[in-house]
Amino acid sequence: MVNKELLDVIIIGGGPAGLSAALVLGRARKRVLVIDEGKPRNAVTQEAHGFLTRDGIRPSELRRLALEDLKSYSSVSLIKHVVTTVTGTDGCFQVSTSEGQTFEAKKLLLAAGMKDRPLDIPGLAEVYGKSAFVCPYCDGWELRDEPLVIINSGSELMHFAPLISGWSNRLTFCTHGPDGLTDEEREEINRHQIPLHTSPIRTIESRDGIVQQVLLEDGTAIPCRGIFFKPDLVPGSDLPEQLGCEMSDTGVVAVDMLGATNVPGVYSAGDAASRMHQAIAAASMGSLTAAAMNSQLNLEVWQSKGTTN
């Protein structure tokens, strides 16, 4: 079924970026539809941190409050569908869903975020979001001064090492295979007296979601109270590539400072377009991008009226 109304914006993804954008556009009197499949990546997380006035809130509660805010703006609606295809061009995009419906809008905002690939380390799924995390800004405070295992390798480990040291200096590095480090980098780790293990991880032992120790294939047992690891992420949707959006070398949608992609009329925000995977960063990006989209929509109407007169 094709819905006849031409909307101003369709937002694909109902996380902090998408909902923040919907709020800004709703307040700007734009007709907006948010399409979200209802499977947020942070569903495994017990609490969201670093979000001003909402520090420690459950992600599901943050979403509920956001939806309550949107109820004040009748031009904004939300449906729980999966987008299957997008066609059209700037001014009239057609968005089809798994429910057999098609919607049309002048502009698109891609905010479907990222998804985790299945975790390949036995025991990691049981602690993910409870005592194993990916972002120290989000969860480092709760594990401050605790013995931590860092699962990472290569240049990304060397970037992460000084960062995580601000929360705890009781660190052990596990590369879960070849470390990918240079001799100089290994020497740097050694100077900081941080144990470095390259043996694959056999399993992570835990109790009620709290890690107890990491067991390696070589028999080493590493007691710890928390884990930070590098997630294996893929885009939350293949729509950006379907539309011809350029992707950055980090695997996210390439956008300018206002969230615009290389495809006219298509914007992106949040984790889909940034490696700053924090709820407050995604919300901020969604807000700024929505303002840019509103400005462009208003300009187009202004210019068309000027031409008519």
Side-chain angles (χ1 to χ4, degrees):
M1 180 180 71
V2 178
N3 294 267
K4 299 296 185 180
E5 180 187 12
L6 179 63
L7 300 163
D8 291 305
V9 178
I10 289 177
I11 300 172
I12 301 173
L19 296 180
S20 181
L23 178 62
V24 170
L25 289 165
R27 288 181 56 78
R29 308 179 71 184
K30 295 300 181 285
R31 295 160 297 170
V32 179
L33 173 64
V34 180
I35 305 177
D36 182 62
E37 65 177 341
K39 297 179 180 179
R41 180 176 168 239
N42 64 1
V44 301
T45 305
Q46 305 297 300
E47 298 178 342
H49 292 284
F51 205 114
L52 194 61
T53 79
R54 292 293 181 266
D55 190 44
I57 193 171
R58 291 187 68 86
S60 59
E61 178 64 5
L62 183 63
R63 176 182 171 84
R64 187 192 69 79
L65 291 171
L67 295 176
E68 283 293 319
D69 286 346
L70 291 176
K71 287 180 179 179
S72 298
Y73 307 98
S74 59
S75 65
V76 178
S77 57
L78 184 146
I79 58 174
K80 187 177 178 181
H81 288 192
V82 175
V83 174
T84 54
T85 59
V86 178
T87 57
T89 57
D90 189 15
C92 188
F93 291 100
Q94 295 83 40
V95 177
S96 299
T97 76
S98 56
E99 303 297 318
Q101 291 189 278
T102 298
F103 303 89
E104 295 183 336
K106 299 175 184 177
K107 309 289 181 187
L108 295 179
L109 175 57
L110 306 177
M114 305 292 282
K115 291 182 178 179
D116 289 293
R117 290 188 191 273
L119 304 174
D120 66 348
I121 298 175
L124 184 54
E126 287 74 12
V127 295
Y128 185 20
K130 300 180 180 70
S131 59
F133 307 99
V134 299
C135 173
Y137 289 106
C138 302
D139 300 289
W141 170 262
E142 284 66 36
L143 292 173
R144 63 194 184 279
D145 298 325
E146 295 285 2
L148 306 178
V149 165
I150 311 304
I151 305 173
N152 210 326
S153 62
S155 60
E156 293 199 0
L157 173 59
M158 296 310 296
H159 168 76
F160 195 78
L163 176 64
I164 193 64
S165 68
W167 283 272
S168 178
N169 59 10
R170 302 169 67 187
L171 305 175
T172 300
F173 293 161
C174 292
T175 60
H176 191 44
D179 59 30
L181 301 171
T182 65
D183 290 340
E184 290 77 11
E185 289 169 337
R186 292 188 197 94
E187 178 57 31
E188 181 179 344
I189 291 173
N190 185 56
R191 285 200 306 273
H192 287 275
Q193 299 181 332
I194 300 173
L196 174 67
H197 298 274
T198 60
S199 176
I201 296 171
R202 179 185 301 165
T203 190
I204 295 171
E205 295 186 346
S206 61
R207 184 180 300 118
D208 298 325
I210 305 303
V211 61
Q212 303 297 305
Q213 62 180 0
V214 176
L215 300 180
L216 306 183
E217 290 289 357
D218 66 6
T220 302
I222 309 170
C224 64
R225 295 296 293 169
I227 292 172
F228 281 94
F229 69 100
K230 176 194 172 187
D232 188 7
L233 300 177
V234 294
S237 169
D238 63 1
L239 293 174
E241 293 186 270
Q242 187 181 126
L243 286 162
C245 296
E246 292 180 358
M247 306 297 288
S248 73
D249 56 6
T250 59
V252 299
V253 181
V255 296
D256 66 14
M257 292 182 63
L258 299 178
T261 73
N262 63 299
V263 179
V266 179
Y267 296 73
S268 187
D271 289 1
S274 171
R275 295 193 69 190
M276 291 291 294
H277 296 169
Q278 294 173 272
I280 195 165
S284 173
M285 193 174 179
S287 178
L288 291 172
T289 301
M293 298 177 78
N294 179 64
S295 179
Q296 182 61 31
L297 286 162
N298 287 352
L299 178 62
E300 290 171 1
V301 172
W302 178 275
Q303 291 176 335
S304 67
K305 288 181 177 179
T307 301
T308 301
N309 292 337

